[in-house]
Amino acid sequence: RLPGWDYDGDNPLALPSGPQIAGHLRRYVRDRSLTVREHTPVQAVESRGGAAGDDVRFRTRLHDGTTVESRNLVAAIGGYAQPRKPILSCDIDSAVHQIHSSDYRNPDSLPDGSVLVVGAGISGQQIADELVEAGRRVFLSVGRHRAWPRHYRGRTIHEWMHVFALYEDFVTAGPAGSSRLAGLPVCGNRLGTAELNLGTLAEKGVVLVGSARGARGRELMLEDNVLDIAEESALAFRAVINKIDAGLRDRGFVAADDATKPVVNLDAITGFGTRLDLAHHGISTILWCTGFRPDYQLLPAEALDENGVPLQQGGILGALPGLYYAGLPDGDSLARTGLAAVADNGRFIARQIHIDHLMRTQSPESLVAPV
């Protein structure tokens, strides 16, 4: 969906890996002779204010001491800057290896022994799946999440999202006003080749335990909520299948009938209790798949509210002239944080900057002409 760039692979239904996406973007940069500074952290952005006609409204200071001056600035820093670990991690015995999902690479990178994965979102379930496939003993501390099928009635879930306009359901994380955004639905293993949910993990031998609520040395206190969490995810799973079936009936589309309707196998899931003894179960590593928190402090203070959150309109327009955002969470929707939003955001922002240029230079070109 990037401007002027069509998919050039041999499988339009494949899910590219992280390195493949990075390679795709590097080719895009190279073919268009774009200037990209990799491994160049920004220390701070200063707003110079000034009149509407000024060429320089922002001064961006980089970690190597250099400065970039610009009239316009796009802050594509999203809402997921700092790895998030619960405070209870500080109460766990220091002999237990603790790592956040952002630092995880593969099963061989972890110490020998059983692994406790905390968090049942996409990262948590995919990592737990990879670890158990590698022969590790795995415990998964569950939390609220949604599960969708990867394939249904001969098509991928992404095809059905397109056919029946289910994308908003996919990216809308929960009830409006929720204090935290849940992740996108879990709908397949990391390769996109198999179904993934709490039922498939339990069938493989992953031990499901409740949400972690406290710690003391090598003991974790848990909420007794495994069955409730599993049932809640199964409801989300059934709901999207019912929407697809209803759409097929209403429009008279012909689709394959699955021999076995996909479900979250609740029969494979059992409760665990309210205590987890790490030493007793040989757990040497805790892998925190507990998400990220935002950090906008490198932006000018006048661009932020009293809580350090960007002042913005529609998730794109900033509070300062020439300041734009890409990737900000917007209410209860994750739509603007995804790769699919890049092209739409980019076109809008490019149009705004182009209009600014035409007006500032008093160009006779029409303001409504496409960029």
Side-chain angles (χ1 to χ4, degrees), residues 209-229:
V209 305
S211 303
R213 294 293 180 252
R216 187 186 306 111
R218 296 202 176 201
E219 184 179 50
L220 259 62
M221 280 63 79
L222 309 171
E223 189 172 342
D224 187 11
N225 62 350
V226 172
L227 297 178
D228 290 342
I229 292 289

Side-chain angles (χ1 to χ4, degrees), residues 206-255:
V206 173
V207 180
L208 304 179
V209 305
S211 303
R213 294 293 180 252
R216 187 186 306 111
R218 296 202 176 201
E219 184 179 50
L220 259 62
M221 280 63 79
L222 309 171
E223 189 172 342
D224 187 11
N225 62 350
V226 172
L227 297 178
D228 290 342
I229 292 289
E231 176 60 34
E232 186 176 319
S233 70
L235 288 174
F237 197 96
R238 290 194 291 267
V240 71
I241 284 179
N242 291 339
K243 282 193 174 186
I244 295 170
D245 287 340
L248 290 170
R249 288 194 302 270
D250 293 345
R251 301 190 193 181
F253 291 159
V254 177

